Amino acid sequence: IIKALVNTQFANIINIAANKEIIPELLQSNCNAKKIFENVSSFLDNPYKIKQQIDKSQNILNKFKTDKPSAELAAKSLISFL
């Protein structure tokens, strides 16, 4: 749905932040039983692939972390607009 509404290469936030596909995106015509099975099987057959995906995802998530509480950052951002 997102892909149809917004002109973006990816729909998953991890992939958007990485600017490459880390999490497989089976969108529209690619979202079918065969493709889902192929993707899941490729991960189940290759534990290293699973570890790579987890590590890459964690690296992206770590970039979003801050040392301040998100409520404090949001409050400062709102105050700056007032």
Side-chain angles (χ1 to χ4, degrees), residues 15-27:
N15 295 342
I16 293 169
N19 200 29
K20 63 181 180 179
E21 189 174 79
I22 293 173
I23 309 294
E25 295 189 7
L26 301 176
L27 304 173

Side-chain angles (χ1 to χ4, degrees), residues 1-38:
I1 295 172
I2 292 172
K3 187 87 169 166
L5 299 175
V6 179
N7 186 15
T8 181
Q9 188 174 1
F10 304 108
N12 182 289
I13 190 70
I14 299 291
N15 295 342
I16 293 169
N19 200 29
K20 63 181 180 179
E21 189 174 79
I22 293 173
I23 309 294
E25 295 189 7
L26 301 176
L27 304 173
Q28 297 174 353
S29 63
N30 284 325
C31 188
N32 58 57
K34 182 180 178 187
K35 295 277 187 174
I36 293 169
F37 178 80
E38 288 171 356

Side-chain angles (χ1 to χ4, degrees), residues 19-59:
N19 200 29
K20 63 181 180 179
E21 189 174 79
I22 293 173
I23 309 294
E25 295 189 7
L26 301 176
L27 304 173
Q28 297 174 353
S29 63
N30 284 325
C31 188
N32 58 57
K34 182 180 178 187
K35 295 277 187 174
I36 293 169
F37 178 80
E38 288 171 356
N39 272 270
V40 171
S41 292
S42 75
F43 278 93
L44 293 176
D45 293 341
N46 188 349
Y48 180 71
K49 189 174 179 179
I50 296 170
K51 184 177 179 343
Q52 278 188 313
Q53 184 185 57
I54 291 169
D55 291 345
K56 288 177 182 178
S57 297
Q58 193 60 53
N59 286 336

